[in-house]
Amino acid sequence: MSSPHPAALRTRAEQLVSEGHPAKEVARQLGISPQTVYRWRRSRASGSDLAQARTRIDELEQEVLLCREVIATMRQMMPPKDVTR
């Protein structure tokens, strides 16, 4: 779904909010509703949260692979003791 507002307007609104200007003030300055500014801010935040989550998932996947390699190496170096079950 495309926005009825130009992309430059959204970019400017996001810039002003990131500089610390209140959303209501930004909306008044740019002639848009405060709800629009809040929605843009929320969608931008969720996008950055998603990027952070993906980065963390990649880190954890690498850690799991490393742990599996260490376990495999340890099994080769120290075979299991005689187990009676």
Side-chain angles (χ1 to χ4, degrees):
M1 180 175 167
S2 69
S3 173
H5 303 291
L9 183 67
R10 180 177 179 153
T11 302
R12 181 68 180 140
E14 290 174 348
Q15 177 185 11
L16 290 170
V17 169
S18 70
E19 291 173 357
H21 296 279
K24 287 183 180 181
E25 177 187 322
V26 171
R28 184 183 51 73
Q29 286 180 0
L30 299 178
I32 55 179
S33 74
Q35 291 79 15
T36 299
V37 176
Y38 289 125
R39 187 177 64 249
W40 287 346
R41 186 175 66 178
R42 187 174 51 247
S43 69
R44 180 178 180 178
S46 65
S48 66
D49 291 344
L50 182 58
Q52 289 175 351
R54 286 181 179 152
T55 300
R56 183 67 178 138
I57 288 169
D58 290 342
E59 291 170 356
L60 292 172
E61 286 175 343
Q62 291 300 317
E63 189 174 325
V64 167
L65 290 174
L66 178 62
C67 289
R68 288 179 179 167
E69 290 174 7
V70 168
I71 290 169
T73 302
M74 289 179 70
R75 283 187 178 147
Q76 290 174 356
M77 294 176 68
M78 299 185 322
K81 296 181 180 181
D82 293 333
V83 179
T84 57
R85 286 191 184 200

